[in-house]
Amino acid sequence: MRSDIVKKGIERAPHRALFKAMGYTDEEISRPLIGVVNSKNDIVPGHIHLDNIAEAVKAGIRMAGGTPVEFGNIGICDGIAMGHIGMKYSLASRELIADSCEAMGMAHSFDGMVFIPNCDKIVPGMLMAAARINVPSVVISGGPMLSLKRKGVDLDLNSVFEAVGAVKAGTMTQEEVFEYEDNACPGCGSCSGMFTANSMNCLTEVLGMGLTGNGTIPAVYAERIRLAKQAGMKVMELVEKDIKPSDILNEKAFENALTVDMALGCSTNSVLHLPAIAHEVGVKIDLDIINEISSKVPNLCKLAPSGHHHVQDLYMAGGVQAVMKELSKKDLLHLELITVTGKTVGENIENAAVTDGDVIRSIGEPYSKTGGIAVLRGNIAADGAVVKRSAVAEEMLVHKGPARVFDSEEDSIKAIYEGRIKAGDVVIIRYEGPKGGPGMREMLSPTSAIAGMGLDKEVALITDGRFSGASRGASIGHVSPEAMEGGMIAAVREGDIICIDIPAGRLDVQVPDEELKRRMAEWKAPQPRVTKGYLGRYARLVTSASTGAVLK
């Protein structure tokens, strides 16, 4: 066993003494040691209940003959961190999570590991760590939050963000907002739409690192506890068979993930996280493959914010495996790949079936013939930009309008709330990329304000930052190279005409190349916003969004 290095032989008597100081018996020490990474805390609704998941996982490990060893990890709530300095730390925390899991896993030589994340950066951070440590591992999420209907409206966190914009526009009262506030998030779990957390939990299942139901079983269902026990038992089987993340996370697995991503209409942040996870196993994801896959994969689901369905509806309709079963009907998936179930993708989906054809459309009658995400390129996005195509109104797929340029998220929100943004405008928010932010903040506040004011079918937003999975409308993010690195988005000036053509994959400013070069010759990078502490180090090491914003 790998853990023998910390427990076997006379030389390890001191090590065993330390185990015994914590109450471990000789029998427990002799069994495989399984690290259980619990990101439970009291600040993230998706994590408040993870102690229950951890206890179930540990029960499963013990039932299967292992010894669980639990330790904690951090987790940031993107909703609470939204719209202020806290959001600078959200994406950056992904690397801390991966690094701390690696440190604990390697220092204590666990034979296997179970990772318990739920929300936005914690899921990819733990997947990166699993790939890096490369011992038999299972990921078991805490599950999605429920969405409740209030006066005929299916509410979620995004409903409250958009309600703020509606108040500013005079179309909703403060009392109505307070009613949303009291009912939009009814309990524990990751926020209920196909936002980033649920996108990544579903894609964990597709990658083969999570058990069936990982992405969709609601947090409050007893089935979630049973799944956690199964995860604990299953990791022992993986240890016995020596099935590691490197056996699962290959190029074809990531192609499967991108394929299901398109069918589900996942968050654009998945395009940031999948390359980062792939980087850990030496697989390179070129952004151009996204358009290639999108061109042949139909969009089968319209989950919030793209539609009125929520993850609980996807669960009741057959879940992720039912979506995969539909895609397999046109040979769009690699079915021979091994997963943490110990079975192949094809074996996992053999008995899957769609039970609600409105939530999961058939492969023959999709919502659209192309996928939910598109990559755009052009003179202000040479290395690419990303848009959640499935959440863009038909009339905004092709748009031309004057640039309204802001050098920070705060300045843009102020202009939106003051009514200075008009129909037809293209809002440019720059110096918010991984290096410039630093931390590549999500822009849910400005997109929600635009949507709440009823302008989401008339105003586009473009940024070198990123958008929340809850954002809808013509929200184009991840513009690379970012402004702080001298990307051409830094050359855009107020009033320049911006041309967006999502079907053609184009994003351009109507300014001659010579003029753009002249402007950039005069350009000087602004002083870094943060130079000290973790964010200062992060800004110096982080790479472009087009490469997953990994550190080098």
Side-chain angles (χ1 to χ4, degrees), residues 482-496:
E482 63 174 291
M484 194 66 174
E485 289 194 320
M488 280 297 179
I489 191 173
V492 178
R493 293 183 180 174
E494 187 82 7
D496 286 347

Side-chain angles (χ1 to χ4, degrees), residues 290-337:
I290 292 167
N291 283 346
E292 181 185 330
I293 291 174
S294 181
S295 68
K296 60 185 180 183
V297 176
N299 181 215
L300 303 182
C301 302
K302 285 282 188 184
L303 301 164
S306 303
H308 64 277
H309 297 131
H310 288 79
V311 179
Q312 68 202 49
D313 302 311
L314 178 62
Y315 164 73
M316 292 301 296
V320 173
Q321 302 296 315
V323 174
M324 296 174 73
K325 185 65 173 282
E326 281 300 306
L327 294 172
S328 72
K329 292 177 181 178
K330 287 198 174 180
D331 298 323
L332 293 170
L333 293 172
H334 303 287
L335 301 181
E336 74 282 5
L337 306 182

